[in-house]
Each structure stands twice: as C-alpha cells, then as structure tokens.
Amino acid sequence: MALFRRRRSNDTTDSTAAITAFWEAWPSLRDPLAEAAEADRPVSDEAAERVTALVKAVHPDLDWEVGPAPSAPAPDLTDLDLSMDVDPDELLARLAALDDPGSLAEPAAHALTLRPGASDDARIQSERWARSAPEDGAWRFLPARPADHDGLTRTVTWDGHELDLSHVSVSMRVNHATGRIEVGVYHPDNMFLSEEVRRSLADHVVMLALGEDDMVRYIAKVDPLDESPMDPLPPTSIPATVRQMVDMLGGGEGGWVTLHGTGPGRGRVTFSARHPLTRRDFPALTLAVRVIVPYAETAADGSPGESSELALQDLENRLNRVLGDNGALFMHQTVPGRKDMLYYLDPDSGALAPFEEELKGWAEGDLKLSTQLDPARSVFGGLLRPYRSFFKN
C-alpha cells in the first residue's frame, strides 16, 4: 500500500495550542461563568475578558455566550450499525440503553456556546474546540448556537423595549436559482424600534428558528418588515420551508447523487458524491484521505463482479465502522478494475491509524492512499468538477 502524506499547517498547530490553553484555563473559569448563568446576569468583566482573549486565540472571528443549556437532542438512531455482520446482542443492548430512562445522565444546567457567525474557518475551529472539551456534567459545550423554538415564545428586552416573540410573524421567498431563502420578520412593535434594533431582532428570530449553521447554509438575507405580511407565518415554519427547498432542489437518495455513464476508453463509470454539501457539514473533518482500491473481478458491463462487489462493500462497511463520527465518505468513483474513494477525517481524532489498518488486509491488489489537510475541501471540489453540470446548485 503506497502512502503519501502532507504536513500539518502552522495555522492548525497554532489553533490546537489555543484550544489546549482554553481547556487548561477552564477550571478557573467554570465557577464565575456558572454563577452568571444561574443569576441570569452578565459575566463579570474580569472573567469575560479572560474568556474573550482565549476564544479569540482559537479564531479571531469567534464570539461566545453563556446561558441555560438547551434541551438535549433526542437519541440519534441514524448512527446505529444495521449491517448484516453486526453483533445482534450488541445492537439490542444499544437499543435497550436508548429506551431506558435510567441510563440517561442528568441534563446539563449551563451551556457555553461559541459563535462563529458566517466564518467557515471559525466554524471549523469551534468544532475542534467542542470535540476536545472535558467531561463536565453541569455544562454543554456548543460549537454554534442551536435552534431554540422555546425561545420564540419568550419575552426579550432589547434597547429598553420588552418584546414578546410569540407575536412575531414572517414571510419567506425561496430563490430556486441559489437554493437560499429571503426572510422578512414582523413584530407589532417594529414601528417603535430603531433600524439597528429591528435588524438585530429579525436576525435573532431566524437564529432561534434555524440555529446558526442552518441560517448560514440556507438564508440569503433577513429584513425587518414595517407591516404584517399578507400571508403571515410563524417563525417555527422556517425549518419546514428549508426542508422542502432542499428536497426540491438538492440531493439524491440519502443525501447522495449517483451518475452512471461510459467514459472514453474506460468502460462503465459510476460516480457518487454527497450533495448538497457545504462547509457547515462535517466541520471537524478537514483531513482528505483518498484511497484507490483495485479489484480483481469485472463483470461484462464493466462494473465490479459479484465477488469483488461484495469485498468492496465489506471494506466500505469496515472503514465506516472504524471511523464512527471521526470521518465520512464524501465521494466514490468506480471504473473497470478500480474504485476511487475520498474520505475526510478529523485530524485530531487519531482515526487515521485504525483506518489504515483496515486497508492492509485488502487481497485484490495494491491500494494507494494519499492524505492532505484540506479545510477548504479543494480535493473534493476537484474530483467533482467534471460532473458539476449534473449537480444542481
């Protein structure tokens, strides 16, 4: 198996040191932040200055906030391994644990949230920060502000005005060419507010409805409205509109698009890639790992023969299992005699070594593997380029 590697950039090394410094300081920051969250008051100037300096060292575009922890998400069943070779007893044990209320830890009381805003580079670092957080039962460490529909029923104070967010209504316009949405936000008190406060309030409402990541992914602009929309909608309807737009414009089955064709002198070609995909998806996965896998048996139509197809699928299942949430397959292309797979891994997780171990047992030829740090996903973009016209948006 041939291996080609590239070194870690200095920027990544600097941010790793900054993240380490933050968590080393956490024990001295924990109590003053908790006291502020419990009393629902601003963090003391001294503690706020320290946290700000530590957060800005991770990435200068990051902000932060402290408050009550949002409700924990429901258990995610999509990561359960349901393949035929999984141990049934292990699967049943995991399902039983999800059903057992006694197995669930006491929910955290407080949340420390980093705010990357529209900066994709800052979002990568906030994810790395959250993944390296220590175990702390009283706290949740969030890499971006999540959606909070309960917040849309509360009263907030802005520039001396008490504003009941349950009175907010919105309008939406879907731009099918860009796959993004323009949102108008109306509150009956808008006429009494300055332009700056109205815009801040409108952004706040959309943030509560979607969360920070989906707001960056799907919202083109947010404007305050002077008058109630002709067809007013509650802000809680924004996520459903986003889902409808994505279903209409975007991806194939399961978030993938698959193309079949015949290449000049190459026989049958099958190309599959995640779509739609933004840098807000899998933000911690910045190490591109490209694996070229030869296979021995080719069918008459140029696709892998039955035995090679089974072996390739087994290899992919094993790689996915060893990676867990520390890596993901982004693209694969099959031509007669070989399959080209592109994974992205979390470079700080240690996942590369076990990933390589799983490749060593391949018996149908010599694999080639190359790696490079690629936060901008230029490798994925380059492999997608010949097929770009087939992918909407």
Side-chain angles (χ1 to χ4, degrees):
M1 179 172 65
L3 303 179
F4 305 91
R5 300 249 176 89
R6 294 196 179 180
R7 291 182 180 178
R8 176 168 298 194
S9 70
N10 288 335
D11 288 346
T12 302
T13 304
D14 291 345
S15 64
T16 299
I19 290 169
T20 300
F22 184 97
W23 293 122
E24 287 175 347
W26 173 245
S28 64
L29 297 170
R30 185 181 186 278
D31 288 346
L33 295 184
E35 290 169 5
E38 289 167 0
D40 191 23
R41 58 172 171 74
V43 178
S44 68
D45 290 344
E46 180 183 357
E49 288 174 4
R50 288 187 64 204
V51 174
T52 297
L54 289 163
V55 167
K56 294 294 185 182
V58 174
H59 195 284
D61 291 339
L62 284 171
D63 288 317
W64 62 278
E65 59 189 34
V66 169
S71 301
D76 184 4
L77 302 182
T78 61
D79 66 344
L80 289 177
D81 185 354
L82 302 179
S83 58
M84 295 297 293
D85 57 347
V86 71
D87 182 348
D89 292 334
E90 179 183 343
L91 178 60
L92 289 173
R94 289 195 63 190
L95 289 170
L98 292 175
D99 286 336
D100 178 12
S103 70
L104 300 177
E106 194 71 22
H110 316 303
L112 174 58
T113 305
L114 295 196
R115 298 291 311 282
S119 170
D120 290 326
D121 290 337
R123 180 64 180 86
I124 290 170
Q125 301 308 330
S126 72
E127 186 73 17
R128 296 178 64 222
W129 170 87
R131 282 174 169 245
S132 60
E135 291 290 332
D136 191 323
W139 286 85
R140 289 183 65 191
F141 302 105
L142 304 176
R145 180 186 277 179
D148 179 9
H149 286 194
D150 289 342
L152 292 169
T153 66
R154 299 188 187 115
T155 297
V156 297
T157 300
W158 225 301
D159 196 29
H161 298 270
E162 286 195 354
L163 305 168
D164 185 347
L165 297 188
S166 66
H167 296 157
V168 168
S169 59
V170 301
S171 64
M172 286 176 277
R173 176 180 175 274
V174 177
N175 187 325
H176 296 279
T178 63
R180 291 165 73 81
I181 298 172
E182 299 172 3
V183 183
V185 178
Y186 173 74
H187 190 283
D189 291 345
N190 270 358
M191 67 181 70
F192 305 113
L193 305 176
S194 68
E195 180 68 13
E196 181 181 356
V197 171
R198 293 165 66 209
R199 289 196 172 277
S200 297
L201 178 65
D203 285 338
H204 181 69
V205 166
V206 178
M207 183 82 70
L208 292 175
L210 280 177
E212 196 163 7
D213 284 340
D214 276 352
M215 187 172 176
V216 172
R217 282 186 184 102
Y218 302 119
I219 303 303
K221 67 175 182 175
V222 178
D223 289 319
L225 300 178
D226 295 329
E227 299 180 355
S228 177
M230 292 185 62
D231 297 307
L233 294 168
T236 51
S237 67
I238 299 175
T241 301
V242 166
R243 287 194 298 271
Q244 291 170 6
M245 178 190 69
V246 172
D247 289 344
M248 184 183 305
L249 300 178
E253 185 176 355
W256 287 77
V257 169
T258 299
L259 307 172
H260 301 280
T262 302
R266 301 168 69 192
R268 180 179 173 85
V269 177
T270 300
F271 180 88
S272 294
R274 291 183 182 271
H275 184 74
L277 185 71
T278 73
R279 287 182 66 193
R280 292 283 157 149
D281 301 302
F282 308 106
L285 308 187
T286 58
L287 178 68
V289 181
R290 187 175 179 183
V291 187
I292 298 177
V293 186
Y295 61 86
E297 181 184 355
T298 303
D301 65 354
S303 62
E306 183 176 358
S307 64
S308 288
E309 179 64 31
L310 290 172
L312 288 166
Q313 188 58 59
D314 177 65
L315 175 65
E316 185 178 325
N317 289 343
R318 288 187 286 112
L319 292 174
N320 290 339
R321 197 153 50 242
V322 78
L323 289 176
D325 65 358
N326 291 319
L329 179 65
F330 275 44
M331 180 283 301
H332 57 89
Q333 177 177 260
T334 306
V335 300
R338 77 172 191 274
K339 184 171 185 176
D340 189 346
M341 300 190 292
L342 178 66
Y343 286 84
Y344 277 82
L345 278 59
D346 176 356
D348 297 318
S349 67
L352 182 58
F355 182 89
E356 290 177 345
E357 279 298 314
E358 288 294 335
L359 296 173
K360 288 181 179 178
W362 185 250
E364 299 197 21
D366 292 332
L367 297 119
K368 293 182 180 180
L369 179 145
S370 60
T371 70
Q372 71 177 75
L373 281 170
D374 183 28
R377 295 185 181 160
S378 57
V379 176
F380 178 71
L383 293 172
L384 189 66
R385 191 170 296 115
Y387 305 97
R388 181 65 71 180
S389 62
F390 296 98
F391 289 76
K392 297 176 182 179
N393 301 309

